[in-house]
Amino acid sequence: MFTYKGYIGKILRVNLSRGTFHDEPLSNELAENFIGGAGMAARILYQELKPGIDPFSEDNKLVMLAGPVAGTMVPAGSRMGAYSKSPQTNSFFHSSCGGHFAPELKYAGYDGIIFEGKSPQPVYLFIDDGQPELRDARHLWGKKSYETQELLLEELGSGEIQIAAIGPAAEHMVRFAGIFCGCRALARGGLGAVMGSKNVKAVAVRGYGSIEIPDYARAEAYYKEIYAKFKATPSTSQVLPTYGTPVLVNANNSLGVFGYKNWQEELYPDAQGLSGEVMKEKIVKRNKSCFACPVGSGKYCVVGAGAYAGFINEGPEYEDIFSFGSMCGHNDIEVVCAAERFCDDMGMDAIEAGVAIAFAMECFEKGLITTKETDGMELRFGRADLILPMIEKMALRQGFIGDLLAEGVKRAAEKIGQGSEFFAMHNKGLTFAGHSARGMPGFALGYATGPRGGSHHDGRPTGERTGLVKRETIEGKAEYTARINHLNILTDSMILCHLAEAVWGPLDVTETVVQAINVVTGMDLSLEDGKKTAERIWNQIRAFAVREGYRRKDDKLPPRFMEEPIKDGPSKGMVISREMLDRMLDEYYAFRGWDKETGIPTRERLISLGLEDVAEDMEQYR
Ligand code: SF4
């Protein structure tokens, strides 16, 4: 019997091929060892997916989970997660978003959903206070993500309903299509494309249930303490409420670590036009917050004039400004705002989409593609007017260029060839977010070893960017990176928001995080237990990657980051050479107890983490 509080205690399994449902109880063992979110999903998918399957085949599964603290008063703790074998990386992928979907799913009676098989026709899943139903979605197929949500709210006749929907890009199986909950995106890794491949257009949830916690007095004391921490921490009480994540434009550019023109440079002389300060002045109307979060980092924006007048958006975030702005070589914040909204609406990851356009711009400027391949467009850096048309082409796979880039930068470079791999800015098939590898060696190691490749949430740039640790050296960066991995994966298993990392960490698993689990669930984890759990989950995910063929050779950076030093600015000359990366990898694997030659976790380390079955399984890959 499942005994922990906080959780609802069951997951809904939906067999789309047969149109059947099955309630599955959680087990204490699964919750204790893998907590929830990314950890729980990694374990489930490791056990249920055969290695080597096509992510778009019926054999793949899509898991959606709310974390154990979702729906409680733990601040910044009500994120929704999606999990699958990614069509971009061909390995386990996790993505999460804020908003209000996760609490509603739990109030509707479930911790999560596992989709398996494939529906013969487009459907949406409606869970109405514990009652699941698959409904015909043919009338929604082809609709954009926001329109789909609006139509469903109308159809279901209730504003209380929370919806997660895909846009046209996922229906066209654009490899970086996401899932959209309100204005929040489960964007990265192509999990929306997996949902589209299964003919699931949306999930709608409504519930009137509640979440039990073990001891209200203890919880109240914890809430008081944690809210005081949010208030006392400058990033969560001042910086993010005032500017949101776009504050990072000036922060990164002033250090010379702001990707510009497909990372050809890392100092953008005209970045001010994209800054959080200018954005606030020009388009921000008010703040928006996720469930039970005092931060309000979301920025509700309206473009008031010009070619994009009337575009309304909850954002852009820093990453969108990086991808659709500086990477594409322009500083028009209104274009970025419109582009991000349009990209969400078409249903794609804005980082991948913007970086794909920047990659194509560099290919065009170098003569590797011409107007013949771009349907007549002079696709040069600075052509802000071409960004929305390019988004549409990718989402609908229109023309040679749209279809090519819909495969993502990695596959596009493989097709174009001619040396374009040098500046295809991805690792493991996922493009890099807007944080420098060259200017932050520990973060570079996080990118290289990250199971998701170019994600900025496997490692984190914050420690080196803010000077908590020295960024000009590789000394000590192996352990530094591994500890941040652990903080990230534990918070991704609870599913806590990384924007509050200064409270949760920021450099390792802390009592603050572990106590949130204990207070809500009734577990009795020590700090050491929390750290070990994080390491167990990290190794479980690594084992998934090993099974899919990933080895040390894949823990790498693109040649541009390893051979081309930063050209100008405060970080001029910084680069992560092959030798530097090799040394950091040696130290990282040694700290982790992974084989130095292959990067496969050793049998001893897996057993010490309680992963005996995984240790056995790994033997065949050694
Ligand atoms: S910090 Fe921002 S993104 Fe994170 S939960 Fe709070 S409002 Fe949402």
Side-chain angles (χ1 to χ4, degrees):
M1 199 180 78
F2 188 69
T3 54
Y4 291 115
K5 309 290 185 193
Y7 304 87
I8 298 302
K10 66 178 195 275
I11 292 181
L12 176 69
R13 189 177 289 269
V14 183
N15 186 306
L16 293 160
S17 306
R18 294 201 290 265
T20 56
F21 303 103
H22 181 62
D23 282 0
E24 290 191 358
L26 289 180
S27 73
N28 277 5
E29 188 255 341
L30 186 64
E32 285 158 5
N33 289 317
F34 299 94
I35 305 295
M40 196 175 271
R43 182 65 173 174
I44 291 170
L45 290 174
Y46 186 86
Q47 290 177 324
E48 295 193 11
L49 296 186
K50 284 204 185 91
I53 59 160
D54 178 350
F56 287 144
S57 73
E58 287 185 36
D59 297 332
N60 199 8
K61 301 188 185 191
L62 176 68
V63 179
M64 298 177 81
L65 289 173
V69 301
T72 71
M73 291 306 289
V74 172
S78 285
R79 290 175 75 80
M80 187 65 209
Y83 315 89
S84 192
K85 179 173 178 181
S86 160
Q88 281 187 271
T89 65
N90 268 324
S91 193
F92 173 75
F93 206 97
H94 55 107
S95 184
S96 71
C97 76
H100 294 73
F101 188 97
E104 199 67 31
L105 175 63
K106 286 175 79 171
Y107 301 153
Y110 292 99
D111 291 299
I113 305 160
I114 301 174
F115 287 107
E116 54 189 28
K118 177 180 180 174
S119 170
Q121 66 179 47
V123 290
Y124 71 89
L125 171 68
F126 181 33
I127 304 177
D128 193 7
D129 204 25
Q131 294 301 316
E133 187 187 347
L134 282 173
R135 294 187 171 186
D136 191 346
R138 280 175 293 185
H139 60 301
L140 299 171
W141 208 246
K143 304 283 187 216
K144 297 188 181 101
S145 69
Y146 289 106
E147 191 185 359
T148 301
Q149 295 182 62
E150 281 159 16
L151 287 169
L152 274 177
L153 285 177
E154 218 172 280
E155 185 170 317
L156 299 171
S158 166
E160 295 164 8
I161 287 169
Q162 293 294 321
I163 297 165
I166 58 168
E171 297 170 14
H172 288 85
M173 286 187 267
V174 172
R175 283 188 189 268
F176 47 93
I179 304 168
F180 297 81
C181 304
C183 293
R184 303 279 166 164
L186 296 143
R188 304 222 78 189
L191 305 182
V194 174
M195 190 160 149
S197 76
K198 296 188 172 303
N199 273 334
V200 177
K201 182 66 181 174
V203 182
V205 292
R206 173 174 57 188
Y208 304 103
S210 56
I211 294 163
E212 275 186 67
I213 51 174
D215 179 340
Y216 279 88
R218 186 178 171 209
E220 202 181 348
Y222 178 79
Y223 294 153
K224 270 194 186 138
E225 190 189 315
I226 188 82
Y227 277 87
K229 274 190 185 158
F230 269 71
K231 210 170 166 187
T233 303
S235 60
T236 48
S237 64
Q238 294 158 35
V239 180
L240 288 168
T242 308
Y243 298 112
T245 53
V247 75
L248 291 172
V249 171
N250 278 345
N252 280 339
N253 200 49
S254 65
L255 284 180
V257 292
F258 184 43
Y260 176 44
K261 291 188 176 176
N262 200 32
W263 294 104
Q264 292 184 80
E265 321 242 354
E266 298 203 23
L267 180 73
Y268 183 10
D270 297 322
Q272 186 59 20
L274 295 170
S275 66
E277 292 79 354
V278 167
M279 179 172 134
K280 184 173 166 64
E281 196 184 296
K282 274 189 155 175
I283 56 174
V284 175
K285 299 300 171 200
R286 62 185 165 87
N287 287 357
K288 284 202 76 174
S289 245
C290 305
F291 183 92
C293 182
V295 178
S297 68
K299 301 291 167 246
Y300 179 80
C301 294
V302 179
V303 179
Y308 301 99
F311 267 90
I312 294 171
N313 195 8
E314 197 176 309
E317 299 287 347
Y318 166 75
E319 304 301 338
D320 314 315
I321 295 172
F322 150 79
S323 66
F324 288 130
S326 62
M327 283 290 271
C328 294
H330 76 92
N331 69 351
D332 189 333
I333 192 69
E334 291 176 343
V335 173
V336 172
C337 182
E340 202 265 326
R341 165 76 196 213
F342 186 52
C343 188
D344 279 7
D345 219 2
M346 296 304 281
M348 296 185 295
D349 171 16
I351 297 177
E352 199 77 29
V355 175
I357 297 170
F359 168 75
M361 285 173 164
E362 187 164 354
C363 286
F364 188 90
E365 291 202 343
K366 288 189 156 68
L368 309 186
I369 55 173
T370 67
T371 49
K372 212 171 100 210
E373 284 85 23
T374 63
D375 295 337
M377 289 186 290
E378 289 279 331
L379 198 55
R380 297 184 184 283
F381 287 109
R383 287 293 303 270
D385 59 312
L386 296 181
I387 292 174
L388 271 76
M390 283 298 295
I391 289 171
E392 182 161 22
K393 279 184 181 299
M394 288 188 283
L396 302 177
R397 288 185 175 269
Q398 283 173 348
F400 174 86
I401 193 75
D403 193 42
L404 177 78
L405 297 181
E407 288 293 292
V409 165
K410 173 182 183 277
R411 290 169 177 82
E414 284 164 4
K415 192 153 184 194
I416 292 172
Q418 307 173 74
S420 62
E421 293 89 347
F422 183 87
F423 55 85
M425 305 309 287
H426 74 90
N427 177 30
K428 301 185 174 92
L430 194 82
T431 54
F432 295 100
H435 308 271
S436 175
R438 286 179 291 206
M440 294 182 276
F443 186 54
L445 180 63
Y447 269 145
T449 55
R452 292 178 291 182
S455 171
H456 56 302
H457 289 283
D458 286 337
R460 290 290 290 155
T462 315
E464 288 171 310
R465 183 175 50 73
T466 58
L468 283 173
V469 295
K470 239 170 116 75
R471 75 182 177 95
E472 297 83 2
T473 177
I474 63 170
E475 295 303 326
K477 292 299 167 67
E479 183 172 340
Y480 159 81
T481 300
R483 291 192 184 284
I484 290 176
N485 293 156
H486 292 166
L487 172 66
N488 287 341
I489 202 61
L490 193 62
T491 49
D492 282 338
S493 299
M494 292 168 68
I495 321 177
L496 304 175
C497 181
H498 288 188
L499 292 190
E501 67 192 326
V503 175
W504 306 131
L507 303 181
D508 200 350
V509 173
T510 62
E511 278 289 354
T512 307
V513 174
V514 174
Q515 286 316 314
I517 305 175
N518 289 342
V519 162
V520 169
T521 66
M523 288 184 198
D524 187 23
L525 300 178
S526 66
L527 180 58
E528 281 316 304
D529 292 336
K531 290 181 179 182
K532 190 171 177 181
T533 302
E535 189 178 359
R536 178 182 308 117
I537 296 168
W538 197 261
N539 277 269
Q540 176 66 77
I541 293 173
R542 180 71 174 189
F544 194 113
V546 166
R547 227 169 51 161
E548 298 297 337
Y550 283 102
R551 298 290 185 273
R552 177 176 176 135
K553 65 178 173 26
D554 304 299
D555 288 342
K556 63 183 181 186
L557 297 168
R560 167 161 285 161
F561 282 160
M562 300 182 71
E563 295 170 24
E564 207 175 79
I566 295 177
K567 288 186 185 132
D568 216 347
S571 299
K572 185 176 174 181
M574 289 186 81
V575 70
I576 306 296
S577 67
R578 181 77 252 173
E579 295 70 36
M580 288 165 76
L581 182 60
D582 272 339
R583 203 185 121 194
M584 288 195 288
L585 283 177
D586 285 347
E587 291 172 6
Y588 180 84
Y589 292 163
F591 181 79
R592 286 218 163 285
W594 291 358
D595 181 83
K596 210 165 126 180
E597 304 303 317
T598 62
I600 299 176
T602 56
R603 184 177 179 84
E604 298 70 37
R605 183 60 62 102
L606 290 170
I607 289 172
S608 77
L609 294 168
L611 294 170
E612 287 82 0
D613 58 331
V614 177
E616 207 52 54
D617 199 20
M618 286 296 104
E619 288 307 307
Q620 63 189 297
Y621 302 106
R622 295 190 192 285

